Amino acid sequence: MKRDANIGGSVELLYVLMYETLVGSGLTRCSQELKSVISRRIQRIKEVEHAMQDEGRGIKAMKEADDGMKKIQIPRYARINTLKWTADEAMKTLETEKWKILGTLKPENFAEMVTKMKDDEVYVDPHVENLIIFAPNIQNFYEYWMVEQRYLILQDKASCLPAFLLNPRPGSQVFDTCAAPGMKTSHAAAIMENQGKVWAMDRAADRVATMKQLLDASKVAIASSFCGDFLKTDVTDKKFSKVKFAIVDPPCSGSGIVKRMDEITGGNAEKERLEKLKNLQAMILKHALKLPGLKRAVYSTCSVHEEENEQVVDEVLLDTYVRQNYVLKKNVLPEWTYRGLKTYEVGEHCLRANPKVTLTNGFFVAVFERVKSSE
């Protein structure tokens, strides 16, 4: 099924379609091409699901397990698009539209307060600048004018961490190596106040086209979006000589996003596939770190697997060039207490996100800095 041309080989997209069909709200909002991926195989999907149900591993069993424990509800995170208005303008407008602004949450009671939110309440996030929090079950929130017109950009909190921690200064240059659909590109541009340049590359032409539309709608004026294979890119090309910052968010298993499909997909943790992803991720990160003027890079995945996270960081730091020129930044976002796995020396210097702990998608972030860099 993953070879179906309509999904372009994207296993993550396939899992999302299956999830929405079997567990979620259906495929009414999807294109006919995406619907056909499932509809042409729906009988076989149901047969497999029924067989799994007989073994106690089907959808019904999953839902019963959910009912037997406190259900985790991730709130809706919205990044104020400061390329269209200021944070003050956003908050004042929300108030005029009868939202109750409750101020900035404290990290220590974050989960407790978020789980008690009412549908008309809004909090300011304590970790990521210009990020606000809405209740999880607001109806038709995608149709709200602030969201439709991209004054507010719906983006999971964990996904905001890479650009936030990269913190590129206005006027600088950034290379987003695997950029589509452009959420991190637009976030970096906002942090840079639309001053400087963001090179936004992706291998898939259709995804680049979608990214350009998203960036235009978000009023990003400094992105150079183009299709290409980053591993085949000459990072020593003169046009990249001023790049000081890089976002490396490479293809991954997506296990942090599709967490609740684990019972059906086997955890999306096939060792052979994870090993291939790990190798690809390490190659992309090492290639990015060879940008001659680079001073800081953020590596991130929406994966929960150590193969794609701590193991990649470990492997890259063993590279002679990397070891001579970069260090893993320590004490990153100290108020974020959920760190990498303690079984790795690098673990305490990395950030992890987990639905049960951080009320976000599963995620991983590590920050590399050039030795003795000075900005």
Side-chain angles (χ1 to χ4, degrees):
M1 194 189 298
K2 67 182 180 183
R3 295 187 179 91
D4 195 305
N6 289 334
I7 59 172
S10 172
V11 176
E12 292 77 20
L13 177 55
L14 174 60
Y15 287 161
V16 170
L17 293 174
M18 290 178 62
Y19 175 86
E20 290 299 331
T21 300
L22 296 169
V23 182
S25 55
L27 303 179
T28 55
R29 297 171 67 92
C30 290
S31 66
Q32 285 301 125
E33 289 80 5
L34 290 180
K35 288 179 182 177
S36 70
V37 175
I38 299 298
S39 63
R40 284 186 277 114
R41 303 166 173 93
I42 190 62
Q43 187 60 40
R44 178 55 181 160
I45 291 172
K46 288 184 176 179
E47 289 174 359
V48 173
E49 201 281 320
H50 288 154
M52 292 179 69
Q53 187 60 45
D54 291 340
E55 300 173 3
R57 299 192 298 124
I59 301 301
K60 183 179 178 182
M62 289 171 60
K63 290 182 176 179
E64 288 175 350
D66 275 347
D67 291 340
M69 59 184 289
K70 185 177 180 181
K71 193 171 183 180
I72 300 168
Q73 288 193 311
I74 297 176
R76 292 182 183 270
Y77 295 100
R79 178 165 54 81
I80 297 170
N81 185 4
T82 53
L83 299 179
K84 284 200 165 189
W85 57 353
T86 66
D88 284 344
E89 289 171 334
M91 303 309 278
K92 288 176 182 176
T93 304
L94 286 166
E95 284 184 324
T96 63
E97 299 201 355
K98 308 304 180 186
W99 295 93
K100 295 179 182 177
I101 311 299
L102 302 181
T104 304
L105 279 169
K106 294 181 179 180
E108 55 267 25
N109 63 353
F110 180 88
E112 177 189 354
M113 300 306 293
V114 166
T115 53
K116 295 178 181 178
M117 287 184 74
K118 297 178 181 177
D119 284 356
D120 62 346
E121 294 177 339
V122 180
Y123 278 113
V124 176
D125 186 80
H127 298 107
V128 179
E129 188 177 11
N130 295 319
L131 188 68
I132 54 179
I133 307 166
F134 294 84
N137 295 318
I138 302 172
Q139 296 297 311
N140 303 317
F141 197 52
Y142 285 93
E143 299 173 5
Y144 185 41
W145 72 267
M146 292 186 190
V147 175
E148 273 197 332
Q149 297 178 34
R150 302 194 70 77
Y151 282 85
L152 296 180
I153 296 177
L154 297 185
Q155 185 173 355
D156 185 73
K157 177 177 178 175
S159 176
C160 293
L161 290 173
F164 175 69
L165 294 174
L166 190 70
N167 194 27
R169 292 184 176 182
S172 58
Q173 289 199 17
V174 175
F175 205 131
D176 192 348
T177 62
C178 308
M183 302 295 279
K184 297 173 184 67
T185 299
S186 68
H187 192 185
I191 293 170
M192 296 161 66
E193 301 173 7
N194 251 347
Q195 300 174 42
K197 190 179 190 70
V198 182
W199 301 91
M201 171 184 276
D202 200 88
R203 288 183 61 179
D206 57 338
R207 285 166 57 84
V208 171
T210 299
M211 175 168 63
K212 287 181 177 179
Q213 293 176 353
L214 182 150
L215 296 176
D216 286 345
S218 303
K219 294 298 181 186
V220 173
I222 61 171
S224 176
S225 307
F226 57 107
C227 183
D229 184 340
F230 180 67
L231 285 176
K232 296 178 181 179
T233 300
D234 180 5
V235 294
T236 64
D237 191 306
K238 186 177 179 181
K239 64 184 176 183
F240 302 133
S241 62
K242 295 182 180 179
V243 172
K244 292 186 177 181
F245 303 91
I247 298 171
V248 183
D249 190 75
C252 73
S253 65
S255 54
I257 293 176
V258 293
K259 186 70 175 166
R260 291 192 64 209
M261 286 296 287
D262 281 0
E263 287 297 318
I264 295 174
T265 65
N268 196 15
E270 303 91 338
K271 289 296 181 182
E272 183 180 353
R273 179 165 183 259
L274 287 179
E275 193 64 27
K276 289 180 179 178
L277 284 168
K278 170 188 169 182
N279 292 337
L280 175 63
Q281 292 152 356
M283 285 192 294
I284 292 174
L285 178 54
K286 283 188 276 191
H287 195 54
L289 293 175
K290 290 179 181 176
L291 283 157
L294 193 71
K295 295 196 172 184
R296 185 181 305 134
V298 174
Y299 172 74
S300 62
T301 72
C302 51
S303 171
V304 299
H305 299 307
E306 60 191 274
E307 290 90 341
E308 302 177 90
N309 298 331
E310 290 88 355
Q311 286 187 21
V312 169
V313 174
D314 251 358
E315 178 180 329
V316 169
L317 287 172
L318 287 175
D319 180 87
T320 301
Y321 175 83
V322 174
R323 191 169 63 249
Q324 291 174 348
N325 289 277
Y326 291 93
V327 293
L328 194 63
K329 184 175 175 61
K330 299 179 180 180
N331 204 33
V332 176
L333 200 60
E335 60 270 30
W336 189 278
T337 57
Y338 192 49
R339 317 303 284 192
L341 299 179
K342 294 181 180 179
T343 49
Y344 294 86
E345 187 176 342
V346 299
E348 64 179 304
H349 307 311
C350 304
L351 305 184
R352 272 184 173 264
N354 179 292
K356 294 180 182 179
V357 181
T358 58
L359 296 185
T360 67
N361 284 326
F363 216 79
F364 176 87
V365 186
V367 181
F368 290 78
E369 287 194 330
R370 189 175 287 273
V371 176
K372 297 180 181 179
S373 63
S374 59
E375 298 182 18

